[in-house]
Amino acid sequence: DIQMTQSPSSLSASVGDRVTITCRASQTISSHLNWYQQKPGRAPKLLIYAASNVQSGVPSRFSGSGGGTDFSLTISSLQPEDSATYSCQQSFNTPYTFGQGTKLEIK
Amino acid sequence: EVHLVESGGGLVQPEGSLRLSCSASGFTFSIYNMNWVRQAPGKGLEWISYISSGSSPIYYADSVKGRFTISRNNAKNSLFLQMNSLRAEDTAVYYCAREVTHLLGGYQYHYMDVWGKGTTVTVSS
């Protein structure tokens, strides 16, 4: 199975900050990497697919990059509503696997 | 509007069974592959099963293989998860999720773009 490792596990940042979360795959997955946002008690929401494609309706401050084994999710200017847990997921093959999540707190 | 609604969760004893349902609306259910994903309390997301639009192929996570069965009824816009021999570690919120297959640059990419709100399964005596 492909293992997905995110860092950091948690972070705290201020409104307006630029924030980057990284995700590493245990083997190459090309660009088969998706990012989800999840708020407490809510279902996950797709942010980024195929490593760098922003899902329709997602604010432009969210972006994704990377390929192979190393990926990142960047929020260019943090907003209060971005407080959530962010998870990466590989769709290169089954079993699909998720990172352990990064909990983002707004200071 | 596109919606997925899970049902069937509840409290069940170890070794018991439960059947989850996911009702789809607002889109052509029969052309989409579907997944079940769960989240144990305080833990991350765990993919557990996939079913293609035509019910073959089907895939399972090792953690549920041989105990859970995914199925669908395209005529009724419904997805199911039959869960047998339940264990305490199966306690989680169970989500159904629609999978999109997107052609980009000659390659197919897969992602889960619509999720239900989830149904809670608690396995405890």
Side-chain angles (χ1 to χ4, degrees):
Chain A
D1 298 359
I2 300 173
Q3 306 303 315
M4 306 301 294
T5 304
Q6 287 181 233
S7 61
S9 296
S10 64
L11 76 153
S12 181
S14 300
V15 172
D17 282 355
R18 181 182 180 90
V19 170
T20 297
I21 298 168
T22 65
C23 178
R24 175 165 287 178
S26 60
Q27 66 184 72
T28 182
I29 58 171
S30 184
S31 296
H32 296 270
L33 190 283
N34 308 311
W35 288 97
Y36 299 88
Q37 176 195 64
Q38 189 178 24
K39 297 183 178 181
R42 305 286 295 274
K45 173 187 174 183
L46 176 70
L47 297 177
I48 304 287
Y49 63 91
S52 61
N53 295 270
V54 181
Q55 173 69 348
S56 174
V58 172
S60 58
R61 62 181 180 274
F62 290 92
S63 64
S65 63
T69 60
D70 294 304
F71 303 86
S72 61
L73 171 71
T74 298
I75 308 172
S76 60
S77 179
L78 197 62
Q79 298 301 303
E81 60 267 30
D82 298 336
S83 176
T85 297
Y86 294 84
S87 299
C88 60
Q89 176 240 335
Q90 66 81 15
S91 57
F92 182 75
N93 60 18
T94 59
Y96 295 152
T97 44
F98 291 86
Q100 80 278 18
T102 294
K103 188 173 183 178
L104 173 57
E105 172 194 273
I106 310 299
K107 287 180 185 174
Chain B
E1 192 175 349
V2 174
H3 272 126
L4 294 171
V5 179
E6 302 92 340
S7 60
L11 174 64
V12 61
Q13 292 189 338
E15 293 304 314
S17 297
L18 216 51
R19 179 176 168 89
L20 304 184
S21 300
C22 171
S23 178
S25 60
F27 66 100
T28 305
F29 178 74
S30 61
I31 66 172
Y32 285 91
N33 305 327
M34 298 294 295
N35 292 272
W36 286 99
V37 176
R38 70 183 180 184
Q39 187 168 37
K43 301 296 185 182
L45 298 165
E46 179 189 15
W47 171 86
I48 56 172
S49 189
Y50 160 101
I51 185 168
S52 70
S53 58
S55 297
S56 180
I58 283 173
Y59 304 114
Y60 297 100
D62 285 347
S63 58
V64 306
K65 197 175 296 181
R67 300 186 300 123
F68 290 11
T69 303
I70 191 171
S71 62
R72 64 191 296 162
N73 183 330
N74 286 340
K76 295 188 176 182
N77 295 330
S78 296
L79 175 72
F80 304 101
L81 187 68
Q82 177 67 42
M83 304 187 296
N84 298 330
S85 303
L86 283 161
R87 307 165 179 167
E89 54 265 36
D90 296 318
T91 294
V93 176
Y94 285 73
Y95 298 100
C96 60
R98 183 178 83 169
E99 178 171 309
V100 169
T101 299
H102 194 143
L103 190 63
L104 278 172
Y107 294 92
Q108 286 190 343
Y109 293 90
H110 308 276
Y111 50 89
M112 291 177 266
D113 71 329
V114 178
W115 297 63
K117 292 185 176 181
T119 187
T120 300
V121 172
T122 303
V123 184
S124 175
S125 55

